[in-house]
Amino acid sequence: MNAYRVTAQRSGGWWALTVEGPGLHRPAYTQARRLDRAEHMVRDLLALHLDVDPGDVGDIEITPDDESLADELISTRQVRRDADRLRDEATVRTRSTARRLRERGYAHREIGALLGVSHQAVGKLLDERPKRHVDA
């Protein structure tokens, strides 16, 4: 998938956006009133330039025009992506281990103690729904 780098620079009450990436022979420009609208504006711009749907544009990475701050943001985003990947891996492994422990007869509280989670979390990991009590 294509990735586009957008440099954002304050310009009066607006953000001037410089877009670079695949399919663009030279930088493209747009603007946004608020930075949280920049991605939307860039997607619309690229959709027009590339004759594609805005949702098919690819990844857009917006950084400020301050180079040291841009480097810090890039590094922070990478660490966050790594943390998300590790969190997902931890969830998969924890769920797998909880299932194996359950298959071997361990109770929820025992599984929770071994995995360092609450017994309620064990139920969620095992996709077990709480039993409903029916009053007679």
Side-chain angles (χ1 to χ4, degrees):
M1 186 170 267
N2 294 330
Y4 296 89
R5 182 177 170 117
V6 179
T7 304
Q9 181 178 15
R10 287 187 194 268
S11 180
W14 292 79
W15 286 93
L17 307 170
T18 304
V19 184
E20 298 175 287
L24 299 175
H25 301 296
R26 59 185 183 278
Y29 303 94
T30 189
Q31 62 185 6
R33 175 67 83 181
R34 297 186 338 231
L35 196 54
D36 63 342
R37 298 289 299 151
E39 183 174 343
H40 174 77
M41 297 302 292
V42 169
R43 284 191 181 283
D44 283 350
L45 171 80
L46 289 169
L48 289 172
H49 273 278
L50 305 172
D51 194 29
V52 297
D53 185 82
D56 295 334
V57 164
D59 294 331
I60 295 174
E61 185 173 276
I62 301 169
T63 56
D65 65 339
D66 179 322
E67 191 173 327
S68 66
L69 198 51
D71 290 343
E72 184 177 342
L73 276 168
I74 290 167
S75 175
T76 299
R77 288 174 182 152
Q78 184 59 52
V79 168
R80 291 176 57 89
R81 282 190 294 270
D82 292 346
D84 289 343
R85 183 185 50 75
L86 286 172
R87 189 173 16 266
D88 292 345
E89 183 180 336
T91 299
V92 168
R93 286 184 178 213
T94 302
R95 180 171 286 121
S96 174
T97 302
R99 286 180 179 148
R100 289 179 46 97
L101 289 165
R102 185 66 182 149
E103 289 168 0
R104 288 186 169 71
Y106 287 80
H108 281 206
R109 290 188 189 277
E110 295 164 337
I111 296 169
L114 291 170
L115 292 175
V117 299
S118 70
H119 68 278
Q120 295 94 338
V122 171
K124 290 179 182 177
L125 286 167
L126 298 173
D127 295 322
E128 295 176 353
R129 303 198 188 274
K131 295 177 183 158
R132 289 188 165 193
H133 295 285
V134 178
D135 293 328

